[in-house]
C-alpha cells in the first residue's frame, strides 16, 4: 500500500472545529491527561513542554506512567486507563486491529534504535569485516551463539534488530540468539555481560558506552531499518473528540519542545535529567546523549508513514502480525500542521 500526504489527509477523521482553532485553556477548565511513556530520550519533548509551562498555560496536567515497551502500553490503552501513548509506532497497528481507536498526532524521534555490542562481541567487529562474519567468529570462539537482548516481539526495537540481522547483515541464525527483555533489563544485561549485545536507545547508549569503553555502538538506526520510524505521540479518539483544544495544546507544546531541544540542548538537560535520570544519570551523560548519532528528534508525523507501512509488512513476515492492518486513519497530521503554522 502506498501512502502519500493526500492519502493521510483524506483518511484522517474530521475533528471538531475547536481542534483546528487556537489552543486555549481547554475552555477555561483544567484537563488531566493520563500519559504512558517509555523512559527514553525520545520521550523528552513531553517533559520539556511540561517544564517550560506551555501545557500548564493551556490548562493541562499530566499524570505519567512508565512502561517497559510499547506492546505493554497497548494493554493500558485497551483498558481505557491511558489518554496519551508515547512510544514506538509499530504496536499501534496491532492496537487498531483490536478495535483500539488511536491517532498518531506527532512524532518525537526517528532511527533511535541502534545495535550495541558488548566487549566480547565488539572486538570481532573489525573495520571492513561483514557483521555476519563477526557473529560467526564469535560463535566459533565462544562455542555458543551471541545472545542479543531486545524488547518483545512486535515492538520497534525487536523488529529493527531482526531486520538488521536477517535482511541487512545476513547473519546465520545459528550464530545469534535473541533474548526478549525490558528496556532497563537490556541495559543492565549489556553492562553486566549477561548478553553480548542488543538494541538500545539513548540515553542508555551513552550510559553503557560511558561506563565500559569496551562496549561499542556497531550499527545506527537507519542502517538497521531504512528510515526507521521511532517514537510517536498518539491520542485516543475519545480524547480527540472530548477535548479537541487540549489535544491541540499538547501537540503544540511537543512541537515547540522538539524545536527547543534542537536549538538549545543545554537548556533542556536539567529537565531531561530530572525526568529520565532519576538521580542515577548525570547531566553530562544526558548532554552526550543529545549529541549522539543515535539521537534524531523530529516532530513531523507525515515523515514516517511510508516507513511505518514497511515495518508492518516486515512484522507480518516475522509472524509478529497475522496480517497487514490498514494504516488509513492512524495518522492525524493536522494538529501538527496547525502547531507549525502557529509558530
Amino acid at each position: 500500500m502506498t501512502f502519500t500526504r493526500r492519502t493521510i489527509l483524506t483518511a484522517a477523521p474530521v475533528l471538531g472545529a475547536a481542534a483546528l482553532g487556537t489552543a486555549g485553556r481547554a475552555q477555561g477548565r483544567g484537563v488531566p491527561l493520563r500519559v504512558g511513556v517509555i523512559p527514553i530520550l525520545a520521550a523528552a519533548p513531553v517533559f520539556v513542554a511540561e517544564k517550560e509551562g506551555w501545557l500548564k498555560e493551556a490548562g493541562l496536567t499530566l499524570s505519567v506512567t512508565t512502561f517497559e515497551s510499547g506492546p505493554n502500553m497497548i494493554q493500558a490503552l485497551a483498558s481505557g486507563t491511558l489518554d496519551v501513548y508515547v512510544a514506538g509506532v509499530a504496536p499501534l497497528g496491532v492496537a487498531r486491529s483490536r478495535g483500539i481507536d488511536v491517532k498518531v498526532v506527532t512524532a518525537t524521534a526517528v532511527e533511535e534504535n541502534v545495535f550495541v555490542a558488548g566487549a566480547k562481541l565488539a572486538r570481532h567487529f573489525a573495520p571492513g569485516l561483514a557483521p555476519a562474519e563477526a557473529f560467526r567468529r564469535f560463535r566459533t570462539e565462544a562455542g555458543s551463539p551471541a545472545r542479543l537482548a531486545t524488547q518483545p516481539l512486535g515492538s520497534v526495537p525487536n523488529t529493527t534488530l531482526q531486520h538488521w540481522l536477517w535482511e541487512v547483515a545476513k547473519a546465520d541464525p545459528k550464530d545469534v540468539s535473541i533474548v526478549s527483555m525490558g528496556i532497563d533489563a537490556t541495559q543492565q544485561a549489556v553492562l553486566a555481560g549477561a548478553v553480548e549485545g542488543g538494541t538500545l536507545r539513548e540515553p542508555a547508549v551513552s550510559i553503557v558506552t560511558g561506563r565500559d569503553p569496551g562496549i561499542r555502538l556497531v550499527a545506527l538506526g537507519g542502517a538497521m531499518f531504512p528510515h526507521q520510524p521511532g517514537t510517536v505521540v498518539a491520542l485516543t479518539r475519545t480524547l480527540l473528540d472530548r477535548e479537541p483544544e487540549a489535544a491541540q495544546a499538547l501537540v503544540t507544546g511537543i512541537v515547540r519542545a522538539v524545536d527547543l531541544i534542537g536549538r538549545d540542548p543545554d537548556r533542556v538537560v536539567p529537565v531531561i535529567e530530572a525526568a529520565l535520570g532519576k538521580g542515577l544519570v548525570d547531566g553530562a551523560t544526558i548532554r552526550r546523549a543529545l549529541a549522539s548519532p543515535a539521537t534524531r528528534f523530529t516532530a513531523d508525523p507525515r515523515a514516517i508513514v511510508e516507513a511505518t507501512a514497511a515495518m508492518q509488512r516486515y512484522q507480518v513476515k516475522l509472524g509478529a502480525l497475522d496480517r497487514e492492518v490498514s494504516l488509513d486513519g492512524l495518522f492525524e497530521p493536522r494538529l501538527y500542521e496547525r502547531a507549525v503554522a502557529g509558530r
Side-chain angles (χ1 to χ4, degrees), residues 249-271:
L250 177 65
V251 173
T252 298
I254 290 172
V255 170
R256 292 178 68 183
V258 169
D259 177 67
L260 178 61
I261 292 170
R263 287 188 295 104
D264 194 355
D266 289 335
R267 174 171 172 172
V268 301
V269 165
V271 178

Side-chain angles (χ1 to χ4, degrees), residues 224-271:
M224 295 181 74
F225 194 105
H227 311 293
Q228 178 195 135
T231 297
V232 299
V233 178
L235 309 182
T236 64
R237 179 60 185 267
T238 299
L239 175 65
L240 284 165
D241 288 345
R242 187 183 68 234
E243 302 288 354
E245 289 189 5
Q248 181 66 69
L250 177 65
V251 173
T252 298
I254 290 172
V255 170
R256 292 178 68 183
V258 169
D259 177 67
L260 178 61
I261 292 170
R263 287 188 295 104
D264 194 355
D266 289 335
R267 174 171 172 172
V268 301
V269 165
V271 178

Side-chain angles (χ1 to χ4, degrees), residues 190-333:
V190 171
L191 271 174
V195 295
E196 281 68 56
T199 47
L200 291 179
R201 288 167 283 193
E202 291 289 5
V205 179
S206 292
I207 292 171
V208 300
T209 55
R211 293 182 183 176
D212 184 348
I215 298 174
R216 285 175 47 201
L217 197 170
V218 170
L220 291 174
M224 295 181 74
F225 194 105
H227 311 293
Q228 178 195 135
T231 297
V232 299
V233 178
L235 309 182
T236 64
R237 179 60 185 267
T238 299
L239 175 65
L240 284 165
D241 288 345
R242 187 183 68 234
E243 302 288 354
E245 289 189 5
Q248 181 66 69
L250 177 65
V251 173
T252 298
I254 290 172
V255 170
R256 292 178 68 183
V258 169
D259 177 67
L260 178 61
I261 292 170
R263 287 188 295 104
D264 194 355
D266 289 335
R267 174 171 172 172
V268 301
V269 165
V271 178
I272 300 173
E273 180 183 358
L276 302 179
K278 307 299 183 184
L280 302 176
V281 184
D282 60 21
T285 301
I286 296 296
R287 187 65 183 85
R288 287 199 304 274
L290 287 171
S292 166
T295 298
R296 288 191 59 193
F297 284 101
T298 183
D300 190 346
R302 301 166 301 186
I304 63 170
V305 176
E306 293 284 357
T308 300
M311 180 164 282
Q312 186 186 92
R313 287 192 295 273
Y314 192 64
Q315 287 183 309
V316 173
K317 181 177 180 178
L318 290 175
L321 286 176
D322 293 334
R323 57 182 174 80
E324 287 188 52
V325 179
S326 173
L327 298 182
D328 287 349
L330 174 59
F331 291 85
E332 172 46 89

Side-chain angles (χ1 to χ4, degrees), residues 6-287:
R6 180 181 296 276
T7 304
I8 303 170
L9 295 177
T10 302
V14 178
L15 301 178
L20 301 179
T22 301
R25 289 184 171 273
Q27 299 177 349
R29 299 174 292 105
V31 180
L33 297 179
R34 301 166 300 173
V35 183
V37 304
I38 296 178
I40 55 177
L41 193 64
V46 175
F47 301 109
V48 171
E50 182 180 37
K51 187 64 176 180
E52 288 292 319
W54 301 326
L55 305 186
K56 184 177 180 180
E57 289 172 4
L60 307 183
T61 58
L62 306 187
S63 174
V64 179
T65 303
T66 59
F67 292 81
E68 280 289 285
S69 70
N72 290 343
M73 204 182 303
I74 295 302
Q75 298 176 18
L77 279 174
S79 68
T81 57
L82 286 181
D83 305 304
V84 183
Y85 167 104
V86 185
V89 68
L92 294 176
V94 177
R96 285 177 62 80
S97 72
R98 296 177 181 174
I100 305 171
D101 199 352
V102 292
K103 310 293 180 186
V104 174
V105 291
T106 184
T108 64
V110 296
E111 299 185 357
E112 58 192 298
N113 288 281
V114 300
F115 181 74
V116 172
K120 292 180 181 179
L121 175 61
R123 62 189 183 85
H124 291 285
F125 280 86
L129 187 69
E133 178 61 15
F135 286 121
R136 188 195 68 78
R137 292 185 181 185
F138 174 87
R139 183 174 68 86
T140 299
E141 180 182 272
S144 59
R147 297 159 296 177
L148 310 180
T150 191
Q151 278 69 77
L153 185 68
S155 66
V156 174
N158 187 294
T159 307
T160 298
L161 176 62
Q162 296 213 51
H163 185 273
W164 181 64
L165 288 173
W166 318 134
E167 310 299 329
V168 180
K170 305 294 184 181
D172 189 326
K174 297 192 300 294
D175 294 337
V176 298
S177 174
I178 296 176
V179 183
S180 178
M181 59 180 68
I183 291 174
D184 288 341
T186 297
Q187 176 182 317
Q188 293 306 316
V190 171
L191 271 174
V195 295
E196 281 68 56
T199 47
L200 291 179
R201 288 167 283 193
E202 291 289 5
V205 179
S206 292
I207 292 171
V208 300
T209 55
R211 293 182 183 176
D212 184 348
I215 298 174
R216 285 175 47 201
L217 197 170
V218 170
L220 291 174
M224 295 181 74
F225 194 105
H227 311 293
Q228 178 195 135
T231 297
V232 299
V233 178
L235 309 182
T236 64
R237 179 60 185 267
T238 299
L239 175 65
L240 284 165
D241 288 345
R242 187 183 68 234
E243 302 288 354
E245 289 189 5
Q248 181 66 69
L250 177 65
V251 173
T252 298
I254 290 172
V255 170
R256 292 178 68 183
V258 169
D259 177 67
L260 178 61
I261 292 170
R263 287 188 295 104
D264 194 355
D266 289 335
R267 174 171 172 172
V268 301
V269 165
V271 178
I272 300 173
E273 180 183 358
L276 302 179
K278 307 299 183 184
L280 302 176
V281 184
D282 60 21
T285 301
I286 296 296
R287 187 65 183 85

